[in-house]
Amino acid sequence: MKLREMMKDLCERHWLGEVVAYIYVIEFQKRGLPHAHILLILANKNKIRSIEEYDSFVSAEIPDHELNPLAYETVTTMMMHGPCGVLNALLPCMKDGKCKKHYPKSFQEITQEGPNGYPIYRRRNNGHYVEISNGIQLDNRWVVPYNIKLVEKYNAHINVEICNSLLAIKYLYKYVYKGHDRATVTFSQNINRANNQTTSPNEILDEIKMYLDA
Ligand SMILES: [Zn+2]
């Protein structure tokens, strides 16, 4: 219901500007909840190009508790990454001792154009932090970028990012269309009648057959 309503906000009510095309997939990763990846193409007149526009649509800082209490509530409970790294090396985002999503990000006084077509969002070192369990304090470096209207309305994890390079757009399309997970399962009757035991699991695999079965 939230997803359907949000698609209306985005595509019919034009919360981020007029949408001329969109695609989305719902991904189910076998842990956590299913989630949607959505790509919106905005009309030319609404393309988000300037630093000021980036800031008006996407934030990556802990909201002000007094000014935006709803956003504060959602961001502090649902939009803080991890914590991973030294704080928790066992999170799924960790690979070879590093966070695959590059958290914690660096502090950033003002939003900047990034080298790969993704803006580097403002994350000021303003002393704001959220204290989570075990006294761990997470500051603006841990905030997953969000749109304040969307988090206020939906009270859900909704990561919003702007993408301005062809390379990144190509990657995103590929990513969104990567398809579902697949597994091959075979039922076979291969019982060793002599001692009534199944054969050892490392029976020889027929690679040609596996290839044909895709
Ligand atoms: Zn991480």
Side-chain angles (χ1 to χ4, degrees), residues 119-208:
I120 303 167
Y121 300 104
R122 179 171 65 192
R123 299 170 183 275
R124 284 165 292 189
N125 187 0
N126 53 13
H128 291 177
Y129 65 84
V130 186
E131 193 160 307
I132 55 157
S133 54
N134 322 326
I136 294 171
Q137 296 177 348
L138 301 181
D139 54 34
N140 285 339
R141 291 172 300 174
W142 295 92
V143 178
V144 177
Y146 63 91
N147 172 274
I148 193 156
K149 272 175 88 178
L150 290 173
V151 291
E152 280 182 341
K153 175 165 176 179
Y154 291 99
N155 188 29
H157 180 94
I158 305 171
N159 175 207
V160 176
E161 304 208 25
I162 294 156
C163 167
N164 269 338
S165 94
L166 275 179
L167 257 185
I169 290 166
K170 196 175 154 197
Y171 163 78
L172 285 172
Y173 273 102
K174 215 170 139 184
Y175 182 81
V176 165
Y177 281 122
K178 72 184 175 180
H180 47 82
D181 294 338
R182 298 168 189 87
T184 322
V185 179
T186 314
F187 292 95
S188 58
Q189 200 169 35
N190 212 350
I191 294 169
N192 185 338
R193 299 273 175 203
N195 50 17
N196 202 22
Q197 280 179 345
T198 49
T199 47
S200 77
N202 41 7
E203 63 186 280
I204 297 160
L205 295 171
D206 182 344
E207 286 189 24
I208 295 168

Side-chain angles (χ1 to χ4, degrees), residues 71-112:
Y72 178 85
E73 190 57 36
T74 304
V75 171
T76 54
T77 52
M78 298 184 193
M79 298 305 297
M80 305 302 288
H81 178 79
C84 55
V86 283
L87 300 172
N88 184 356
L90 300 174
L91 276 200
C93 64
M94 292 295 291
K95 196 178 178 190
D96 303 328
K98 280 189 186 145
C99 172
K100 282 188 281 183
K101 296 178 172 173
H102 310 290
Y103 283 93
K105 309 274 184 182
S106 314
F107 283 122
Q108 183 76 23
E109 230 3 77
I110 49 166
T111 302
Q112 280 182 4

